[in-house]
Structures are given as C-alpha cells and as structure tokens.
Amino acid sequence: MKKILSIMVLLAGIVSLVACSDDDPTYTAPAQLSLKSADAFYEAAGGTGSIVVNSTESITATSNAEWLTAAVSGNTVTLTVAANNALEGRSTIVVLKSATAVAEVSVSQRGIIYGIDEEAQFSMADTLKSTVKIPVAHTADVNVKSLADWLSASFNSETGLIEVVATASNDVEEERVGYVALQTGAVKDTLTIVQDALLFKVDTAPLAIAAEGGSQKIAVEHSRPVTVATDAEWITAELNESGTVLNVTVAANEGEERQGTIALTSVGITKTITVAQKAPEAEDPQGGEENPLLGTFTFYWMGNNTYNLGNFTIEEYTGEDAEEGDVVLKGFYITGNEIYGHYETEGDVTTLYIFANQALGTLTDPDKGDYGNILQSTSGANAIAFELTEHGFVSTDLRIIATDPAYTEAWWWEIPGGGTSLIVKADAASSESRAAAPRKTTRVKSRQNLSTSLKLFSK
C-alpha cells in the first residue's frame, strides 16, 4: 500500500512540474530516423540516385568509398556513383546520422561486361582485303588498335563487331600472325589474327615421255591466279577452266632425246616441271624394226611386283666384235655390272639369252638381308633363256645358287608351265644332295617364301 502511494505522489509531482513550466504545455515525441526509400543498385556506367528518410532531426550522410558521393537536402540524400570500368562489381556503405540516431544503407554497383571468343585467335584468307568480323559483348566503350602493318582494325558500335581487314596479301607459302590490341573500360586484351599462307601446290616431279609423245594431267592447288609457260614448242601446257588441272601434251619426237620445261607462276613464285622425251627406238638389227628388248626394266621376284631387286637397262651392243642380235645388260642384278647377251626372234616369240655360270652379285631379301648368289641355267646350257611376253620377261630356265654357308640344303620349287625346277639357297657343298633330290618336289624351308618363278617386268 505504501509503494502505490509513493508512485502516485511521484506522478503528481511530474505533472505538476510540467504544469508549472508553461502556461500552454505541448507533448514532444522522441526523435526518429527511418528509411523511406533508397536507390541501392547501379549499373557499371554509374549515375545518380537518392535515399529518402523519415527524421524529426537534421541528418548527415557519409560514403565509405571514393566512387560514391552523398549530398543531403532535408530528408533526401542524393547519391552520385562514378562509372565502374572493371569486370568486378563493388559495394560500399552510406552512413546516415541524426542527433540521436544512426542508420546504414548498402550500395552496390555492377562491373562492366566483356566477352569474346575464348580462343581469341582468328583466321583470314591470304588475299588483300580479307576480313574477320569478331562479335564483342560489352557495356563500356571498345577501342581497338592494330599492332601489325598489314592489318587494320576498327570497332563498329552499331553492330557490336570488331572488323579486322588485311591491308596486304600474304605472298609467301607460310602463314603469318598479327595482333590487335583491345581495351574496354579497364580491361585490356589481345586478339591473334592468322593470315593463311599462299596456296600454290604443284607436283614438280620430272615427266618422262615416250618418243611417240603423249599427255599427262597434273593437279594444281592455288589461291591466286596461275600463269603457265613452256620453253619448247613441242610442249603444250594449259590449265583447265577451274585451274585445278594442268593438261600437258607432248608432240612425237623424230630426232634425238630432248628436254624442255613448264613454268607455273603465282604471285612471283615459279615452280618448274622438267619434261624429258626419249628419241625414237633404234631399229631391230635383224628385221629393221624397233628392237622390243631395248629399254629399262625392273627385276622382281613375284608377279605382283614385290621384292624389287633393282633396275637394269638393255642396250644394243655396238662393239667391233658385235654380231647381229648382241645386247648388253647394264646394271643387271647388281648396279655397275655389265652382262652381255644375244636375242633371237622366231615368229611372235622373242628370247633373250644371257651367259650363265658367272657370279653376278648378291641377291637381297628385303626382310632378311643378303644371300650371296650366282645365276645358272637349269637346263645345263651355258646361257639362261628369258622369254619376252606382254608383261615383260619370264624365265623358266633360271637357277639361283646361294653361297651363304648357313644354308647347305637344296630347296626346290617346281615352276608352273613346264621347264625344270628352280633351286634356291644351296651352296657348293650341297651339290651332291641337289643332284640326288627328286625333281618336281617342294620342300619350303627358306627364311622368305620366295616366288615359284622369277620374272622381269618392264618398268
């Protein structure tokens, strides 16, 4: 009961105090500082915004960042945000104060946008004014500058494209690289521009043309115009309509062996093809016609043209002791050896005979190495016979004796179409076993499965 009274007396005293203070008393509310509205987010370009507060007292506003300023007018704070030239966004705090209260407002700003092809490498053709157009995602101004004297670069703000143009063609057969510097806001980048190499491809392998003449087609690849010229009136060379094929025509040769050239030129680069044409074949000493044996041939083991043993040339023998039909085989079997022979023609059959029972060099297995051999006639005669066919020369009268001491057994292959068997890999020490071996049997024991006959094919 005493506590209640004491409180009542106290209240009576306060009211009294207020009543005695003024003849016309009024009520004063506590001070307030609350946020009414705020522009708290800005694009990278920056700009202005405001914060509006409810306050019964005057206020101040302070920014914690240099890029944002705040100015107070009554209960409104005007914010000025500078442009953000970086890719990263940023934020700060604006502090509002009155005499009795404090409030904080967080303000954020987006970074600029920049986007381009991840590889940042672009290709253009080798020709003058070749152009590359590169799209750029951006929110700030884009500035570009070429760092190569053969490129120009500009930015089209309407299309949002960087346009890079070749101010010179690439006139060499190697690509070249130039660079374009780019800046948007505070972001710097470098673009790599690759200009294609000049395309000019021609097979310049020499052409070997028979005396009767003929035609050849040669593929041509080019990115610039190509001109063609020859230094011989007997050679005609022209590009087809699309410029992708060189048509070469060589007239018949009635004189000595001759040589000419074809020159293809593109942008100052010249590529030359040599054309060699043989003289007419010599007349056959026997019949006054062309000798079917003269020329260059390749010695093969097998009919599918495998195991190439090298080339040799058959020429007419013109020594003082020459007789009708005599020939010389140059480079036969082993390059540098010259083997003399004789040929005879009866009806449609032409047979070449070369001396046998002489060391002619080393037979080489493409997989296993040298054997060391001599040639002999299986018929026992002092010459080996080769019959000329439409495919070249075929012999059913040829024996190879291996002198490799590691191989002392006689091995036989029967030759299809008649004739005697072919002996391979037997040295002198095994002559008795060779003589005793039954004919027309097959015992294959060689390191390499050689053919059942030897053939010489025209090259």
Side-chain angles (χ1 to χ4, degrees), residues 2 5 11 20-21 33 62 97 111 147 162 173 182 194 224 252-253 332 372 380 409 444-445:
K2 289 183 179 179
L5 289 174
L11 289 175
C20 293
S21 66
L33 180 58
T62 304
K97 291 182 179 181
L147 304 180
I162 297 172
E173 294 179 275
L182 178 152
V194 179
R224 240 67 87 60
N253 184 11
F332 178 75
E409 183 178 0
V444 180
K445 295 182 180 179

Side-chain angles (χ1 to χ4, degrees), residues 61-266:
T62 304
S63 167
N64 290 336
E66 294 182 356
W67 52 270
L68 186 152
T69 59
V72 178
S73 177
N75 284 351
T76 300
V77 180
T78 300
L79 304 179
T80 302
V81 178
N84 183 8
N85 289 321
L87 287 173
E88 298 80 12
R90 58 190 178 183
S91 62
T92 189
I93 299 295
V94 177
V95 180
L96 306 173
K97 291 182 179 181
S98 67
T100 59
V102 177
E104 293 182 349
V105 178
S106 178
V107 178
S108 299
Q109 185 180 23
R110 190 197 303 272
I112 65 170
I113 295 174
Y114 169 64
I116 202 165
D117 188 292
E118 290 183 357
E119 295 182 359
Q121 176 170 313
F122 307 90
S123 298
M124 60 169 52
D126 64 296
T127 53
L128 174 67
K129 296 184 179 180
S130 296
T131 302
V132 175
K133 294 185 178 182
I134 306 167
V136 181
H138 65 99
T139 54
D141 291 341
V142 176
N143 297 291
V144 293
K145 179 182 179 181
S146 171
L147 304 180
D149 57 6
W150 52 273
L151 289 175
S152 68
S154 61
F155 177 69
N156 188 327
S157 59
E158 294 183 0
T159 63
L161 297 175
I162 297 172
E163 297 182 1
V164 184
V165 181
T167 57
S169 59
N170 186 8
D171 297 338
V172 297
E173 294 179 275
E174 294 182 359
E175 66 182 23
R176 60 180 175 180
V177 179
Y179 301 95
V180 173
L182 178 152
Q183 182 167 355
T184 177
V187 177
K188 295 181 179 181
D189 201 356
T190 301
L191 309 182
T192 302
I193 310 298
V194 179
Q195 189 175 31
D196 294 340
L198 170 70
L199 177 61
F200 186 25
K201 294 182 179 180
V202 182
D203 184 357
T204 57
L207 300 181
I209 307 297
E212 58 268 24
S215 299
Q216 295 273 6
K217 293 183 181 293
I218 301 172
V220 180
E221 297 181 60
H222 59 96
S223 57
R224 240 67 87 60
V226 175
T227 59
V228 182
T230 68
D231 65 354
E233 60 181 11
W234 48 274
I235 303 174
T236 302
E238 297 177 337
L239 289 170
N240 65 350
E241 186 174 350
S242 63
T244 57
V245 176
L246 178 68
N247 295 306
V248 180
T249 302
V250 177
N253 184 11
E254 298 178 355
E256 297 180 352
E257 184 173 313
R258 57 188 179 182
Q259 181 172 300
T261 59
I262 304 170
L264 295 89
T265 303
S266 179

Side-chain angles (χ1 to χ4, degrees), residues 212-459:
E212 58 268 24
S215 299
Q216 295 273 6
K217 293 183 181 293
I218 301 172
V220 180
E221 297 181 60
H222 59 96
S223 57
R224 240 67 87 60
V226 175
T227 59
V228 182
T230 68
D231 65 354
E233 60 181 11
W234 48 274
I235 303 174
T236 302
E238 297 177 337
L239 289 170
N240 65 350
E241 186 174 350
S242 63
T244 57
V245 176
L246 178 68
N247 295 306
V248 180
T249 302
V250 177
N253 184 11
E254 298 178 355
E256 297 180 352
E257 184 173 313
R258 57 188 179 182
Q259 181 172 300
T261 59
I262 304 170
L264 295 89
T265 303
S266 179
V267 195
I269 298 176
T270 298
K271 300 192 174 185
T272 302
I273 302 171
T274 300
V275 181
Q277 187 177 30
K278 295 181 178 180
E281 296 285 354
E283 292 185 353
D284 186 340
Q286 292 187 3
E289 298 178 354
E290 291 185 354
N291 187 338
L293 298 178
L294 302 183
T296 300
F297 300 86
T298 303
F299 198 162
Y300 293 102
W301 270 110
M302 301 178 67
N304 60 357
N305 291 4
T306 56
Y307 302 141
N308 181 340
L309 299 182
N311 295 337
F312 67 96
T313 301
I314 300 178
E315 297 180 358
E316 181 182 354
Y317 178 62
T318 57
E320 293 182 359
D321 58 342
E323 297 182 3
E324 189 175 66
D326 284 350
V327 291
V328 57
L329 285 72
K330 294 186 175 181
F332 178 75
Y333 216 61
I334 292 296
T335 301
N337 287 347
E338 292 186 4
I339 301 170
Y340 296 93
H342 179 81
Y343 76 92
E344 297 177 358
T345 300
E346 295 183 7
D348 295 331
V349 178
T350 299
T351 304
L352 168 68
Y353 299 92
I354 65 172
F355 295 109
N357 299 314
Q358 58 178 305
L360 298 179
T362 300
L363 172 63
T364 299
D365 182 321
D367 295 326
K368 302 299 182 180
D370 294 341
Y371 292 153
N373 300 273
I374 59 175
L375 298 179
Q376 289 190 358
S377 169
T378 58
S379 65
N382 197 35
I384 302 171
F386 293 88
E387 182 180 340
L388 178 63
T389 71
E390 61 179 347
H391 302 295
F393 295 104
V394 177
S395 175
T396 58
D397 188 38
L398 177 63
R399 180 169 69 185
I400 297 179
I401 300 178
T403 57
D404 185 341
Y407 296 89
T408 58
E409 183 178 0
W411 296 337
W412 300 74
W413 278 266
E414 184 172 336
I415 299 177
T420 57
S421 299
L422 173 67
I423 301 176
V424 178
K425 286 185 179 296
D427 64 10
S430 62
S431 58
E432 294 182 3
S433 63
R434 287 202 305 274
R439 296 300 177 105
K440 299 188 181 299
T441 61
T442 303
R443 290 187 290 164
V444 180
K445 295 182 180 179
S446 69
R447 289 180 295 178
Q448 179 69 51
N449 185 16
L450 302 177
S451 72
T452 56
S453 65
L454 287 173
K455 297 182 179 180
L456 298 176
F457 288 90
S458 177
K459 185 176 180 181

